[in-house]
Amino acid sequence: MSISENLQQITSSLPQGVTLVAVSKTKPNEAILEAYTWGQRVFGENKVQEMTQKWEALPKDIQWHMIGHVQTNKVKYMAPYVALIHGVDSLKLLQEINKQAKKVNRTIPCLLQVHIAEEDTKFGFDADELRALANDPAVLEMEHVAIKGLMGMATFTEDTAQIRREFSGLKALYDSLTGVLPDMEILSMGMSGDYEMAMEEGSTMIRIGSSIFGARN
Ligand SMILES: *Cc1c(COP(=O)(O)O)cnc(C)c1O
């Protein structure tokens, strides 16, 4: 199926209030333009340099989401244009985003990445760290970042009960923070293999790559 047929099929099944991020990492500008021509405006990338090259080359009404791990020294390159940073996984990174956003006179929307998978991964906060961060006066004082919500990735497994458990755990955590952080409105969870389950568990933003653009090399 073509990119536009894939988009048609996925978006026709989305409940209201769920945003589709078309994950275009490693894919050429032509593929992005096909999705753009169809009507898609939100795209996700996981490398700052690749995203910046695409931002320079492609229509300016595209909203670019950074979905990957971000090194602090790369924040400055995307600060002028990035629409949402999904993978904020440390206070240090949040501080750097705040600093670079200030320089370009912006408030950058961010999601805190939560470590929900049972498998070992280096990135993301656990529940206790998240609560500490949400109550940290230093965080509440940052004027150039807006913490819009949480992002998580489930374990890569065939065990659907486990995936569902991880998603519902993230949703509970999200709900518990909505009274603490003022701008919470986005729960980013679900990829090509598990987005239907993620939506059933309360996702408001799904990040889909291969089911739109085909497998990556
Ligand atoms: C690559 C990636 C996706 C999309 O994965 P697909 O399985 O191709 O849909 C979603 N989220 C993150 C964080 C990614 O790195």
Side-chain angles (χ1 to χ4, degrees):
M1 285 214 301
S2 70
I3 289 170
S4 39
E5 283 168 329
N6 291 337
L7 277 164
Q8 180 62 47
Q9 190 171 59
I10 292 164
T11 53
S12 67
S13 72
L14 293 192
Q16 245 194 342
V18 175
T19 301
L20 169 64
V21 180
V23 176
S24 50
K25 63 190 185 194
T26 77
K27 298 295 176 180
N29 291 349
E30 295 71 52
I32 298 172
L33 275 175
E34 186 180 337
Y36 178 88
T37 303
W38 178 84
Q40 181 67 24
R41 289 295 180 271
V42 183
F43 292 88
E45 292 283 334
N46 71 340
K47 295 206 168 70
V48 174
Q49 189 181 1
E50 182 179 343
M51 185 169 76
T52 302
Q53 283 168 354
K54 288 173 172 173
W55 167 68
E56 283 168 353
L58 290 164
K60 287 295 173 285
D61 61 340
I62 289 178
Q63 295 165 42
W64 293 103
H65 287 201
M66 172 45 62
I67 62 167
H69 177 67
V70 180
Q71 291 171 288
T72 49
N73 62 352
K74 300 281 171 64
V75 172
K76 57 177 177 284
Y77 301 112
M78 63 176 169
Y81 70 89
V82 68
L84 182 65
I85 301 176
H86 290 235
V88 177
D89 59 0
S90 72
L91 179 58
K92 188 171 146 236
L93 179 58
L94 199 62
Q95 283 165 329
E96 177 65 14
I97 295 168
N98 188 54
K99 181 176 149 194
Q100 297 299 335
K102 183 174 181 186
K103 280 191 192 164
V104 294
N105 207 8
R106 293 189 64 204
T107 297
I108 297 182
C110 294
L111 305 179
L112 302 175
Q113 183 168 353
V114 187
H115 178 186
I116 55 170
E118 286 168 18
E119 70 194 6
D120 243 6
T121 133
K122 288 176 289 186
F123 304 124
F125 298 100
D126 66 26
D128 290 337
E129 290 168 338
L130 208 55
R131 275 187 213 100
L133 190 88
N135 290 293
D136 188 335
V139 170
L140 301 174
E141 276 166 20
M142 290 181 194
E143 289 184 351
H144 294 272
V145 292
I147 299 176
K148 292 279 184 190
L150 304 181
M151 184 274 242
M153 266 185 287
T155 303
F156 188 70
T157 172
E158 305 274 286
D159 183 349
T160 54
Q162 180 181 344
I163 296 171
R164 193 177 285 282
R165 201 159 62 234
E166 292 173 1
F167 283 151
S168 72
L170 182 57
K171 167 71 162 125
L173 201 53
Y174 173 81
D175 288 341
S176 77
L177 287 175
T178 48
V180 186
L181 291 163
D183 299 321
M184 299 281 275
E185 57 186 50
I186 300 171
L187 181 53
S188 169
M189 61 183 195
M191 315 183 8
S192 291
D194 56 20
Y195 73 93
E196 278 153 337
M197 216 188 302
M199 292 191 304
E200 285 164 15
E201 297 302 329
S203 172
T204 69
M205 190 170 273
I206 54 175
R207 310 174 308 268
I208 300 191
S210 42
S211 290
I212 296 171
F213 295 107
R216 289 175 297 273
N217 294 325

